[in-house]
Structure formats: structure tokens, C-alpha cells
Amino acid sequence: MANRAYQTMKGLSSYMDRYYLDALIGVIPGWGDAIAVLSVVPFVYFSSKVIKSFPLTLAVLNNALRDVLMGMLPFFVGDIIDFFHRSNIQNMQMIQGFVDGDEAVIKQVNQRAWQSAIVLVILLLLIALMIWALISFGSYLYSLVASIF
């Protein structure tokens, strides 16, 4: 618990989810979601390098990518969802369960390891599709505005 990454995770989960910073940053188109992705780095580092649990790392990534995908939904729908979906707190609870040796959390994460791997691939594809759609829509809007002027 004295680990620097652990302390960073606690701070991130507090600021990003309890103080709704994740939802507030998400209002910034594109950049908000990029910052949300960066906030998961300490969780992935801690689960993969300190705890050395591949299933836990998959579960953390799955949770974080779901949050990013939902946050990318347009017209502030994603930002509203970010107020309710608190992935950093969920990741912190999973990691805390592993650190504390909570058998229920360990069993749950281990059972979902394969599901998490499949969902991760699907989420990565959906995020790529969403980025493509947002870029296409932005290009369309730009050309529409440019044709007016």
C-alpha cells in the first residue's frame, strides 16, 4: 500500500470518479477521452507488474475501455454516462480485493478472464470504429461549413 502506483491509483479514483472529473474532462471533444485512457495506466501497471495477475489486468483494461467507449458517445450522452459509470473506483476495488486476498473478488476476476479478453478485442474494434465515425462526421461538418463560406 506504500507503493507509489497504489497511491496514484487511490488519488485518481478519488478525483476522476468521486469528484466527477472524468465526466467534466469528457466534455472536451477527443482530449477528454484521451485523458481518461491515460488515467488507467497506473491501474494496468500495478495489476500487471506489482500484483502480476494477467486476469486482473484483463479485467482492469476491460473496465477502462468500456468507460472510454461509453464516454465517446456523442451529444453529451457519454458525459452523462460518465457521471454514473465509475470505472476507476471499480478498478480500485478489484485491485484492493487482490491485495487483500478477497477470495470472492479473485474468483470473480479469474472466472471472467476469457470473457474479458474477448470483450477487450470487441471494445478496441468499437473504439476504432467510433474514432473513424467521429473523424468522418467532423470532416463532413467542416466541408459543409467551408462550402457555405
Side-chain angles (χ1 to χ4, degrees), residues 32-95:
D33 299 317
I35 292 170
V37 169
L38 289 176
S39 72
V40 79
V41 170
F43 293 94
V44 172
Y45 171 80
F46 195 81
S47 62
S48 64
K49 299 296 182 187
V50 177
I51 297 177
K52 297 180 181 170
S53 171
F54 185 69
L56 178 61
T57 304
L58 284 176
V60 165
L61 283 171
N62 180 4
N63 200 17
L65 290 176
R66 265 189 294 129
D67 184 54
V68 169
L69 181 64
M70 288 187 286
M72 291 176 76
L73 294 173
F75 307 113
F76 296 105
V77 172
D79 302 319
I80 293 169
I81 290 172
D82 274 339
F83 272 102
F84 300 106
H85 185 259
R86 299 176 175 201
S87 67
N88 293 309
I89 289 176
Q90 293 170 358
N91 284 339
M92 192 66 204
Q93 290 170 344
M94 283 190 294
I95 289 173

Side-chain angles (χ1 to χ4, degrees), residues 11-23 25 32 35-36 39 82 88:
L12 278 172
S13 63
S14 178
Y15 286 112
M16 294 296 278
D17 289 343
R18 287 194 178 102
Y19 298 125
Y20 304 107
L21 192 58
D22 187 19
I25 291 173
I35 292 170
S39 72
D82 274 339
N88 293 309

Side-chain angles (χ1 to χ4, degrees), residues 67-136:
D67 184 54
V68 169
L69 181 64
M70 288 187 286
M72 291 176 76
L73 294 173
F75 307 113
F76 296 105
V77 172
D79 302 319
I80 293 169
I81 290 172
D82 274 339
F83 272 102
F84 300 106
H85 185 259
R86 299 176 175 201
S87 67
N88 293 309
I89 289 176
Q90 293 170 358
N91 284 339
M92 192 66 204
Q93 290 170 344
M94 283 190 294
I95 289 173
Q96 189 66 48
F98 260 75
V99 169
D100 292 341
D102 185 345
E103 293 296 325
V105 172
I106 294 170
K107 183 178 178 181
Q108 178 186 20
V109 170
N110 285 333
Q111 288 175 344
R112 294 184 183 179
W114 284 106
Q115 175 193 7
S116 292
I118 293 167
V119 169
L120 276 172
V121 170
I122 293 169
L123 286 173
L124 287 171
L125 290 173
L126 286 173
I127 288 171
L129 180 64
M130 184 69 79
I131 290 170
W132 174 81
L134 290 172
I135 290 172
S136 298

